[in-house]
Amino acid sequence: MREKTDLRNPPGADPRSGGNWRFYNARMPPIPDRPSLEGLDERWSAVWDADETFRFDRSRTRAEIFSIDTPPPTVSGSLHVGHVLSYTHTDTVARFQRMRGREVFYPMGWDDNGLPTERRVQNYYGVRCDPHLQFDPDFVAPDKPGKEVVPISRPNFLELCARLVAEDEKAFEKLWRRLGLSVDWSMTYTTIGREAQRTSQLAFLKNLARGEAYQADAPTLWDVDFRTAVAQAELEDRETAGAYHALRFHKADGSGDLLIETTRPELLAACVAVVAHPDDDRYQALFDTEVTTPLYGARVPVVAHRLADPEKGTGIAMICTFGDTTDVTWWRELQLPTRAIVGADGRLKSDAPETLSAAGAEAYAEIAGKTVKQAQKVVVEQLRTSGELDGDPRPITHPVKFYERGDRPLEIVTSRQWYIRNGGRDPELRAALLARGREVNWIPAYMRARYESWIEGLTGDWLISRQRFFGVPFPVWYRIDADGNVLRDEPLLAPEDALPVDPSTDAPPGYTEDRRDRANGFTADPDVMDTWATSSVTPEIATGWASDPDLFARTFPMDLRPQAYDIIRTWLFSTIVRSHFEFDTVPWAHAAISGFVLDPDRKKMSKSKGNVVVPMEWLEKYGADAVRYWAANGRPGTDTAFDEGQIKIGRKLAIKILNVSRFVLTVSEGAGEDRSVVTHALDRSMLAELAALVDDTTAALDQFDYARAIERTERFFWSFCDDYVELVKGRAYGVAGDEAARSAQAALRIALSHLLRLFAPFLVYVTEEAWSWWREGSIHRVSWPEAGELRLDGADPLVFTVAADVLGAVRKEKSEQKRSLATPVDRVVVRDTEHRLAALDAARSDVRDAGKIAGDVETEIGPELLVKVELAPVTDA
RNA sequence: GGGCGUUUAGCUCAGUUGGGAGAGCGCCUCCCUUACAAGGAGGAGGUCGGGGGUUCGAGACCCUCAACGCCCACCA
């Protein structure tokens, strides 16, 4: 059959009308006899790369462009199926928009700065950054961690970070390419890269100039292991074992004792007051008097505050500086003194607070230098001995605040930090940011509730400085006066045109390097920005705000922010904050929120549970299209169970697409796609249903509902394969004459062309492969189907439906009789409504042919479909 | 304590103007039919979480309760 090809396609025939133009294109593979998925992924991703299929054309105008604020994955972790899920979602949208005619701005970023990378480098090489060490140009990183952790200088450490992330990024890109993400790889950025640093520093300086960023000395949540401040957004509560300890405070007038329960007796020395609710009758007499602390004999006032809960413990609490965030509130609102005893290393300071009695100071000496945990044991023993512990501690479990990456409970330590206002202490700004949230189109809509409840619960501004190394430094220095004092309140700012700067190696304007860290000189701000402070300007980084005004004008504000719901309070919120300040606008029109991947038992996947699925294994086992199929069925915002079964179905679908494409192209070889030859009612009926499908999926994808789109397309596709193709197969082969054959052939090709394009955003490789068998160029650059051209005059969707119903009834009879589907049928009687019988009449010969019905299909009018089938008798042959 | 989501066949889930209870997997039966046996055809299986209401009619709309999951919260 294949050798007829050149006869049917004389030179000069329009290859676009369905001819076998592959003869004119050396790269076109012939249609394989047995289509297979093997090697498709690699072959086509190489072609896309070579042809720059997904290159962004920056000459297009803003209205023609669809720009995507891609989430930069943290490269120090490993990519897991959760990434595959959400990045596939975004890619389907990108490919749809591209086919709809938008020029898609779809860069990839790598989030490589920050603590996760530092931690990975520490573990990978067995090193630790000591900023006091000098750069060692001859330093050679160990191949693997030694027994002792090797302290290395900051520049050496940063070099190792850069080296490791470069390797990680290569592996990530490889996976993304295999998955078939249609990003323009020439636009990739990294969050530690020069452009990101320049953008972050510029945005910070502008925030500072407008008063949106500021420095403050204040109690902050502090991770004692990482020795850095931590922002509210990075907190998580963990149920932790603790105990109520009833401590015996002494009334100052000697009239007796006062029992106060606490879970943190080790902080007793830091007690600055005790507090009860202003309406609590039990303590009215005590307000404005003083009590003496047990063990330490310090005199502290009894104060009233609404946050004291009469129901908790004895209804009266001790206020320490600082045991928890409520202490901070009390301290601030009641203007209490500060007696901090926990240091940045999580150990009790060596010096006792001055207010302790002499005996108290001795008691304190026993806990100085200990960790809070060790100190608690000692203090409890001391209290027991002094008789000031009432009864035994009562064990409880209670939520305690942890840094999300940390291992020990957070302490509260006073330190000087940089902040950006976020509405945490400014009702007007809070309202403005809530309003911004309503400007964004949330997908799904209910995800906005998370954004709003986060803003409503903010307790302070956004702490952006971290006492770490592999991050964007603050472009700030401080003068040192003649006496060697660092003048913190007079920062020296980097000029904008000098950005990015590293104040630890660059000197501020007007100074030379020899004045660093000396009297009458300068010193660098030692901190780096938190990773979210950089991530919050990903739209600005990606669109070239700081360096490419032309690109920026064409791509910002962006169209789409895709991300998962867990970082609404961090990435999404902070991005809106920055854009609100800088541009007085939202950064993007749509926020498409993905869910998480659960293991097959619907448990959250995590490394510690050992149920993490490595994506590359599945890509290699079933092919990228199969994995993408699974991902595309995960609905927006909804958690999706990892399901190998679904991937297998995706693989089956992919193979089916190749096979049916092969069949359609083979049976219709030489036919065109001229709608005017589609004269047969069944063919026109099928195309009418296809038109409805195009409308449905287009509307769904316009609303980012990729799951609905693929589900509908798949449903139609199977009915197309099982029913339509079977019904018209004989006619397409020519059993009913040339005109009838041409109608079927053209309809088959038109339907295939449309179905391949409807599947293209999802099953990117097989659609490209099948497309290449008969069309020039990438399917991913052709236009999305239009329903209008499928709607032919007088087409009745019912014809296809009824014909398929009757064919199904015939099959059912054969199945129930345990006969082959090839069994001839002697007689068929269809009873149905007049309307449906009329529809059937239009496809009568196709039904007879597909059902192997020897006689005519008899009909009689009835209330509903009832088919009587008489099979040919069994023969002994 | 406040909020959001989910609850449909054994499993994973569709069901978008209220009128047929559905798909795939799994299970059972059958079939090598000239695109496809790493296929194909067919079957069994559900008082749509409970209760109330609106309606000629509710899986879908309203009220209420429950279970599960998640987010937020000043958790001594």
Side-chain angles (χ1 to χ4, degrees):
Chain A
M1 188 178 296
R2 302 291 303 286
E3 49 272 23
K4 293 180 193 164
T5 313
D6 49 345
L7 299 176
R8 291 185 185 178
N9 289 279
D14 178 6
R16 298 226 139 230
S17 68
N20 291 330
W21 67 276
R22 64 179 173 279
F23 278 83
Y24 309 102
N25 184 335
R27 202 168 70 201
M28 297 307 305
I31 303 178
D33 290 336
R34 202 167 186 295
S36 149
L37 301 181
E38 296 318 307
L40 286 192
D41 301 8
E42 292 88 340
R43 181 146 53 85
W44 286 112
S45 46
V47 170
W48 295 336
D49 195 30
D51 289 0
E52 299 186 323
T53 307
F54 306 119
R55 197 178 66 80
F56 172 66
D57 175 3
R58 63 174 294 164
S59 71
R60 306 282 283 276
T61 64
R62 181 67 196 86
E64 297 169 323
I65 288 169
F66 186 87
S67 63
I68 302 173
D69 185 17
T70 316
T74 306
V75 294
S76 56
S78 47
L79 286 174
H80 52 78
V81 284
H83 291 104
V84 168
L85 181 78
S86 57
Y87 283 81
T88 298
H89 294 167
T90 306
D91 188 59
T92 61
V93 170
R95 286 176 186 265
F96 167 71
Q97 292 290 347
R98 196 179 286 116
M99 292 174 80
R100 287 279 270 171
R102 304 284 286 277
E103 184 63 23
V104 175
F105 179 69
Y106 186 18
M108 183 57 60
W110 304 125
D111 189 13
D112 48 11
N113 75 24
L115 199 47
T117 294
E118 290 188 22
R119 200 158 66 162
R120 177 157 151 74
V121 166
Q122 287 167 7
N123 296 335
Y124 192 91
Y125 296 108
V127 297
R128 154 177 86 76
C129 179
D130 183 342
H132 303 297
L133 295 178
Q134 287 295 311
F135 177 65
D136 176 1
D138 300 323
F139 172 73
V140 178
D143 288 337
K144 54 183 181 183
K147 277 183 183 158
E148 297 287 314
V149 174
V150 181
I152 61 176
S153 74
R154 177 178 166 130
N156 286 118
F157 185 73
L158 297 186
E159 199 177 287
L160 288 186
C161 289
R163 187 196 303 176
L164 198 55
V165 297
E167 286 177 25
D168 290 339
E169 284 154 16
K170 262 186 253 166
F172 272 43
E173 182 174 332
K174 194 176 165 204
L175 182 74
W176 280 161
R177 283 179 179 273
R178 178 66 184 267
L179 185 61
L181 299 191
S182 60
V183 309
D184 180 345
W185 290 101
S186 71
M187 301 188 301
T188 305
Y189 67 88
T190 70
T191 60
I192 197 66
R194 194 179 159 78
E195 181 65 18
Q197 299 225 14
R198 182 172 151 73
T199 307
S200 299
Q201 291 184 340
L202 180 61
F204 169 78
L205 289 175
K206 286 175 175 288
N207 288 137
L208 190 59
R210 290 190 298 259
E212 295 144 3
Y214 64 92
Q215 207 174 178
D217 222 345
T220 50
L221 288 154
W222 185 272
D223 187 284
V224 298
D225 292 311
F226 291 114
R227 297 198 191 183
T228 182
V230 168
Q232 185 182 355
E234 295 168 293
L235 304 185
E236 67 182 28
D237 286 350
R238 293 184 200 160
E239 282 296 326
T240 307
Y244 279 120
H245 301 73
L247 309 191
R248 207 174 284 284
F249 282 60
H250 312 293
K251 295 179 189 170
D253 61 4
S255 67
D257 293 345
L258 184 64
L259 284 182
I260 294 183
E261 291 202 311
T262 177
T263 55
R264 302 207 59 185
E266 70 276 15
L267 295 182
L268 181 56
C271 178
V272 293
V274 299
V275 63
H277 195 275
D279 301 334
D280 194 327
D281 293 338
R282 295 169 291 179
Y283 302 109
Q284 291 299 325
L286 284 175
F287 291 138
D288 299 325
T289 69
E290 288 189 325
V291 294
T292 310
T293 61
L295 220 49
Y296 303 116
R299 292 170 73 93
V300 296
V302 180
V303 296
H305 193 276
R306 63 190 152 75
L307 289 183
D309 183 353
E311 303 295 315
K312 284 224 174 72
T314 56
I316 187 161
M318 69 173 189
I319 302 173
C320 303
T321 52
F322 298 93
D324 61 28
T325 51
T326 317
D327 281 342
V328 177
T329 307
W330 281 326
W331 167 82
R332 190 172 55 230
E333 295 190 7
L334 299 169
Q335 302 191 319
L336 298 167
T338 309
R339 276 167 218 153
I341 60 171
V342 178
D345 56 357
R347 291 174 181 274
L348 300 202
K349 293 179 177 174
S350 52
D351 298 330
E354 293 167 1
T355 53
L356 305 196
S357 68
E362 274 178 43
Y364 184 86
E366 289 184 41
I367 58 171
K370 290 193 174 355
T371 65
V372 290
K373 207 171 168 184
Q374 294 163 345
Q376 185 179 89
K377 276 189 191 158
V378 174
V379 169
V380 168
E381 274 318 303
Q382 290 174 331
L383 286 164
R384 254 191 238 284
T385 306
S386 70
E388 288 167 309
L389 181 69
D390 187 71
D392 285 323
R394 288 188 292 118
I396 53 157
T397 54
H398 61 151
V400 174
K401 289 196 190 309
F402 281 72
Y403 173 40
E404 59 189 357
R405 303 178 191 278
D407 298 320
R408 285 198 277 176
L410 291 168
E411 295 296 338
I412 294 173
V413 171
T414 296
S415 56
R416 197 174 185 91
Q417 304 284 349
W418 286 103
Y419 294 84
I420 289 181
R421 300 184 197 282
N422 66 355
R425 46 186 52 183
D426 177 351
E428 266 180 55
L429 177 55
R430 188 178 296 221
L433 291 169
L434 285 168
R436 289 290 178 213
R438 287 189 288 274
E439 291 177 42
V440 173
N441 173 35
W442 295 78
I443 304 129
Y446 61 74
M447 282 295 172
R448 199 182 80 206
R450 297 197 180 208
Y451 174 83
E452 296 187 341
S453 68
W454 174 251
I455 291 180
E456 283 157 4
L458 287 170
T459 56
D461 283 332
W462 175 22
L463 196 167
I464 58 165
S465 46
R466 296 292 180 275
Q467 289 64 59
R468 300 298 307 184
F469 317 103
F470 195 58
V472 178
F474 287 86
V476 167
W477 301 262
Y478 305 100
R479 289 207 301 119
I480 299 178
D481 68 13
D483 300 325
N485 299 311
V486 175
L487 305 179
R488 285 273 177 178
D489 296 327
E490 298 172 38
L492 302 163
L493 305 180
E496 289 184 5
D497 58 11
L499 301 179
V501 299
D502 182 352
S504 70
T505 52
D506 299 324
Y511 288 85
T512 51
E513 188 58 32
D514 61 334
R515 299 316 303 163
R516 183 180 293 277
D517 294 330
R518 299 173 69 165
N520 287 319
F522 69 92
T523 190
D525 186 301
D527 292 349
V528 296
M529 296 182 199
D530 173 49
T531 191
W532 294 117
T534 297
S535 299
S536 63
V537 290
T538 53
E540 291 87 334
I541 296 170
T543 61
W545 168 63
S547 58
D548 191 344
D550 176 72
L551 180 65
F552 179 69
R554 293 172 194 275
T555 52
F556 187 92
M558 304 182 84
D559 291 277
L560 177 65
R561 155 61 71 84
Q563 63 164 83
Y565 57 66
D566 60 325
I567 50 176
I568 288 174
R569 70 182 191 175
T570 49
W571 192 35
L572 194 150
F573 172 59
S574 62
T575 308
I576 290 182
V577 169
R578 305 303 290 274
S579 178
H580 171 73
F581 283 144
E582 195 60 52
F583 309 109
D584 193 25
T585 175
V586 287
W588 359 258
H590 311 278
I593 308 298
S594 285
F596 268 65
V597 175
L598 308 175
D599 74 11
D601 297 329
R602 299 206 68 78
K603 301 249 166 47
K604 210 170 190 174
M605 287 201 181
S606 69
K607 276 185 188 164
S608 58
K609 287 187 193 135
N611 58 0
V612 170
V613 171
V614 180
M616 195 54 108
E617 287 174 16
W618 299 101
L619 290 173
E620 283 168 358
K621 190 168 178 187
Y622 294 109
D625 285 336
V627 174
R628 291 176 62 105
Y629 169 86
W630 160 76
N633 275 288
R635 305 192 101 72
T638 306
D639 288 346
T640 304
F642 180 78
D643 185 352
E644 185 173 359
Q646 281 296 113
I647 297 178
K648 287 181 180 169
I649 296 165
R651 182 179 172 86
K652 196 172 132 176
L653 174 63
I655 293 171
K656 190 80 174 181
I657 287 172
L658 292 180
N659 277 316
V660 81
S661 297
R662 175 178 127 78
F663 172 74
V664 167
L665 294 178
T666 306
V667 78
S668 65
E669 196 135 34
E673 290 162 55
D674 183 355
R675 285 172 294 157
S676 69
V677 308
V678 181
T679 51
H680 198 281
L682 176 62
D683 304 334
R684 297 164 80 92
S685 173
M686 181 276 294
L687 292 182
E689 294 212 352
L690 181 57
L693 173 71
V694 169
D695 281 338
D696 193 351
T697 56
T698 304
L701 280 166
D702 268 332
Q703 297 165 52
F704 308 94
D705 195 349
Y706 35 79
R708 180 186 172 96
I710 190 173
E711 194 245 332
R712 298 308 156 98
T713 304
E714 187 189 3
R715 180 184 301 183
F716 180 91
F717 175 73
W718 284 108
S719 108
F720 172 78
C721 292
D722 296 345
D723 297 329
Y724 179 74
V725 169
E726 292 303 326
L727 282 165
V728 305
K729 191 182 273 181
R731 182 154 54 86
Y733 276 131
V735 298
D738 283 351
E739 188 189 332
R742 273 197 296 275
S743 176
Q745 290 173 0
L748 283 167
R749 289 179 92 95
I750 292 168
L752 180 66
S753 160
H754 283 74
L755 282 168
L756 288 176
R757 283 180 285 157
L758 293 178
F759 274 128
F762 307 100
L763 304 170
V764 299
Y765 291 115
V766 288
T767 52
E768 186 76 310
E769 170 73 7
W771 195 254
S772 77
W773 294 339
W774 59 319
R775 296 298 187 89
E776 195 170 8
S778 172
I779 191 173
H780 302 295
R781 277 290 183 182
V782 301
S783 63
W784 186 253
E786 295 283 344
E789 60 195 38
L790 295 169
R791 292 209 165 88
L792 305 179
D793 291 341
D796 177 6
L798 202 54
V799 176
F800 180 27
T801 305
V802 178
D805 286 348
V806 174
L807 179 60
V810 172
R811 285 174 181 151
K812 178 174 172 176
E813 184 64 23
K814 292 178 180 176
S815 242
E816 286 176 348
Q817 303 272 340
K818 307 198 174 181
R819 304 285 296 277
S820 159
L821 290 181
T823 306
V825 177
D826 284 346
R827 182 163 178 261
V828 169
V829 181
V830 179
R831 180 190 300 167
D832 210 335
T833 63
E834 192 171 359
H835 184 48
R836 284 172 57 94
L837 287 179
L840 173 63
D841 192 49
R844 187 177 293 235
S845 68
D846 284 342
V847 172
R848 285 184 55 201
D849 198 52
K852 307 273 190 285
I853 302 165
D856 195 12
V857 175
E858 299 164 39
T859 55
E860 56 188 57
I861 294 172
E864 56 184 11
L865 180 67
L866 182 71
V867 183
K868 218 186 304 177
V869 181
E870 290 176 19
L871 302 184
V874 182
T875 58
D876 292 335

